[in-house]
Amino acid sequence: MSEENQQFAIQKIYLKDVSFESPNSPQSFTSDKQPQINVQINSSNQGVAEDTYEVVLEITVTAKHDDKTAFLAEVKQAGIFTISGFPQESLGGMIGAFCPETLFPYAREAVSELVSKGGFPQLLLAPVNFNALYTQQMQQQAAEQTKEETAH
């Protein structure tokens, strides 16, 4: 297959799900200590039509003062992508790394807005290396498969 037939197109980018909780307000605002921030990032995908995929980047941010939650922000940023003409071995990387990387700035902005609107100082998430995350995920899956095969 030649590179001329390769197509990558963004059909739509949208918020699929958003949640913000501040269970201990207004007490959360009186603490002068910096909260501990925990960020979890996951992505998932599903085929929508031939060569068309929905990719969802899920970011969960939890901020705690000691053992009390200051806020919890969850964003599911989604996109519909048309990807065709790529070799099968690079399709996984496109869907697992390149698409989430495309969605990240939108998700980052949504998280920042939610946190600010919740009355907390602006939170800008650090850039994420989605290629490294994807590679790590593939290595873990390969290691688990090897473990399962040797167990049988």
Side-chain angles (χ1 to χ4, degrees), residues 3 11 29 42 44 46 50-51 55 61 65 86 90 92 95 100 102 106 110 121 131 138 143:
E3 287 186 20
Q11 301 299 328
F29 304 128
N42 292 302
S44 59
Q46 65 176 351
E50 187 178 344
D51 298 333
V55 178
V61 180
H65 288 290
F86 288 89
S90 60
I95 294 169
T102 303
Y106 298 94
N131 280 327
M138 291 297 97

Side-chain angles (χ1 to χ4, degrees), residues 18-144:
V18 176
S19 169
F20 182 85
E21 296 172 33
S22 179
N24 293 300
S25 57
Q27 291 80 8
S28 298
F29 304 128
T30 58
S31 176
D32 39 355
K33 286 194 293 184
Q34 284 289 92
Q36 288 110 4
I37 305 285
N38 179 355
V39 179
Q40 290 185 310
I41 298 175
N42 292 302
S43 73
S44 59
N45 64 76
Q46 65 176 351
V48 177
E50 187 178 344
D51 298 333
T52 305
Y53 305 87
E54 179 193 51
V55 178
V56 179
L57 178 63
E58 185 176 346
I59 298 180
T60 305
V61 180
T62 310
K64 290 189 172 199
H65 288 290
D66 300 319
D67 61 344
K68 288 194 164 138
T69 300
F71 68 82
L72 174 68
E74 290 179 307
V75 170
K76 288 184 183 177
Q77 185 72 52
I80 298 175
F81 301 89
T82 299
I83 305 170
S84 63
F86 288 89
Q88 193 62 40
E89 58 271 12
S90 60
L91 188 62
M94 299 275 303
I95 294 169
F98 190 70
C99 292
E101 198 169 273
T102 303
L103 294 171
F104 183 73
Y106 298 94
R108 182 180 190 217
E109 180 186 16
V111 167
S112 178
E113 271 186 30
L114 277 174
V115 171
S116 295
K117 287 180 178 178
F120 294 92
Q122 184 180 31
L123 174 70
L124 286 177
L125 298 175
V128 175
N129 184 338
F130 286 96
N131 280 327
L133 279 178
Y134 177 73
T135 303
Q136 185 181 11
Q137 196 178 13
M138 291 297 97
Q139 288 169 343
Q140 281 177 334
Q141 284 179 358
E144 286 171 19

